[in-house]
């Protein structure tokens, strides 16, 4: 094993409070995107509450509901195509998932707003998360089977019944999303505040200090594979510098990365030299990042929020990152990510437009 940097000290450190714990629920993209916003709520309201959290369940409820409706629409549009047709096979192989990204988060937040954790805490989901996805998958496949053997005049009623069933399942697991909620809190000056009958959209617009339209996804230009009209491409050095610049301004950064590579969760290390496979096994690790991406050796499988950076001679040499895996992971829930790891395993970052030229 080579020497590696295990320092958890940073010249810019924006977060010393508790971290969230997704408890194996694979919606890291929601947790990571919420982290910078919850800190802004704390600052705006000068909260005494430490480790203030926003509800991820509020967003995942609508995410799964929208995915169910999209699946239903796709099944309707392909209802008269053979079951062996490739488009139909893709649908039934993966009718629903927990996958998402910044664009998913942006759409959901704009449409539904956000709520504090107490307004939607879930109802026992953590004990049944696997069952939830199995139940939804089975119900969607039953809908597909019934619809494909029905007359077109029955399609809309079948879809309506499906969505009612999906809502019932989601209500059982997450609770019913509040149309309005109340929140009582105390600020650091000792003053009590009472928010009453506030809607999720009002809360997002008035208290979250974030306009999701003012951010751009910047991806590693080595991984450009066509254009989607939403993602911009820069060199990884430029992306790293933009992340450092945003952190220095006091704002966390959301990044997409492959955290299955060169990681020690117990120590909280993301370091390309943590495991020296070449010396240990005679394995040559010279595949480029572009090749590794094309051959599926690495994949954009996780989302992190960066909340610290060490700057040496004007260059970011390591970042402080949280993965919403709870305080028992790494250094109180944080990883130290060295610059080389960032170069090799970070795919993109969500950057405030004010830092883009």
């Amino acid at each position: 094993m080579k020497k590696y940097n295990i320092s958890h000290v940073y010249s810019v450190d924006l977060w010393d409070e508790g971290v969230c714990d997704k408890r194996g629920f694979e919606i890291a993209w929601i947790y990571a995107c919420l982290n910078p916003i919850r800190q802004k709520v704390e600052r705006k309201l000068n909260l005494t509450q430490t480790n203030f959290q926003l509800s991820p369940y509020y967003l995942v409820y609508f995410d799964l509901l929208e995915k169910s409706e999209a699946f239903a629409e796709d099944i309707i549009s392909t209802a008269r195509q053979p079951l062996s047709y490739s488009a139909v096979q893709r649908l039934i192989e993966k009718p629903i998932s927990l996958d998402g990204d910044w664009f998913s988060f942006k759409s959901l937040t704009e449409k539904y707003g956000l709520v504090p954790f107490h307004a939607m805490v879930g109802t026992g989901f953590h004990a049944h998360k696997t069952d939830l996805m199995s139940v939804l998958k089975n119900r969607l496949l039953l809908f597909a089977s019934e619809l494909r053997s029905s007359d077109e005049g029955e399609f809309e009623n079948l879809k309506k019944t499906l969505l009612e069933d999906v809502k019932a399942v989601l209500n059982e697991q997450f609770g019913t999303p509040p149309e309005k909620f109340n929140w009582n809190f105390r600020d650091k000056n000792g003053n009590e505040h009472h928010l009453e009958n506030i809607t999720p959209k009002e809360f997002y617009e008035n208290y979250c200090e974030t306009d999701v339209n003012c951010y751009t996804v910047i991806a590693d230009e080595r991984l450009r594979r066509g254009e989607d009209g939403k993602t911009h491409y820069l060199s990884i050095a430029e992306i790293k510098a933009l992340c450092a610049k945003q952190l220095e301004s006091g704002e966390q950064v959301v990044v997409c990365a492959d955290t299955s590579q060169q990681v020690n969760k117990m120590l909280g290390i993301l370091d390309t030299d943590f495991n020296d496979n070449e010396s240990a096994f005679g394995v040559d690790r010279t595949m480029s990042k572009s090749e590794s991406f094309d051959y599926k050796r690495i994949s954009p499988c996780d989302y992190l929020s960066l909340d610290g950076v060490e700057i040496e001679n004007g260059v970011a040499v390591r970042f402080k990152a949280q993965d919403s895996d709870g305080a028992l992971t790494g250094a109180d829930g944080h990883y130290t990510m060295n610059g080389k790891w960032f170069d090799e395993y970070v795919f993109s970052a969500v950057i405030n437009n004010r830092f883009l030229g």
Side-chain angles (χ1 to χ4, degrees), residues 112-208:
Y112 302 108
L114 297 171
V115 300
F117 189 83
H118 81 270
M120 193 166 177
V121 299
T123 59
F125 164 76
H126 290 307
H128 307 289
K129 54 183 176 287
T130 303
D131 291 343
L132 167 65
M133 297 309 292
S134 294
V135 168
L136 291 178
K137 177 181 177 180
N138 292 339
R139 182 63 186 89
L140 292 173
L141 293 177
L142 175 61
F143 163 81
S145 175
E146 291 177 337
L147 183 131
R148 289 175 61 82
S149 60
S150 300
D151 296 330
E152 291 188 15
E154 300 178 62
F155 285 4
E156 283 305 313
N157 283 335
L158 287 170
K159 176 186 170 184
K160 180 179 178 181
T161 300
L162 166 70
L163 295 181
E164 288 174 351
D165 288 349
V166 169
K167 285 182 180 179
V169 172
L170 297 177
N171 288 342
E172 177 66 26
Q173 292 297 300
F174 300 119
T176 304
E179 295 183 4
K180 295 183 178 181
F181 63 91
N182 300 331
W183 185 24
N184 302 324
F185 63 89
R186 188 185 299 273
D187 66 28
K188 291 180 180 178
N189 297 320
N191 301 314
E192 291 188 7
H193 301 268
H194 306 278
L195 301 181
E196 297 185 354
N197 294 320
I198 185 170
T199 69
K201 289 201 70 174
E202 288 171 340
F203 179 75
Y204 160 64
E205 292 166 356
N206 297 329
Y207 298 97
C208 291

Side-chain angles (χ1 to χ4, degrees), residues 68-115:
S68 297
E69 184 167 11
F71 174 82
E73 291 292 343
D74 288 339
I75 289 296
I76 289 173
S77 68
T78 58
R80 296 301 175 244
Q81 294 173 349
L83 188 61
S84 60
Y85 189 67
S86 59
V88 180
Q89 284 296 304
R90 284 194 295 270
L91 287 171
I92 63 178
E93 285 172 3
K94 193 175 183 180
I96 196 165
S97 76
L98 292 168
D99 298 343
D101 53 23
W102 166 257
F103 302 111
S104 308
F105 178 84
K106 175 179 178 292
S107 175
L108 292 166
T109 301
E110 280 188 295
K111 192 178 300 184
Y112 302 108
L114 297 171
V115 300

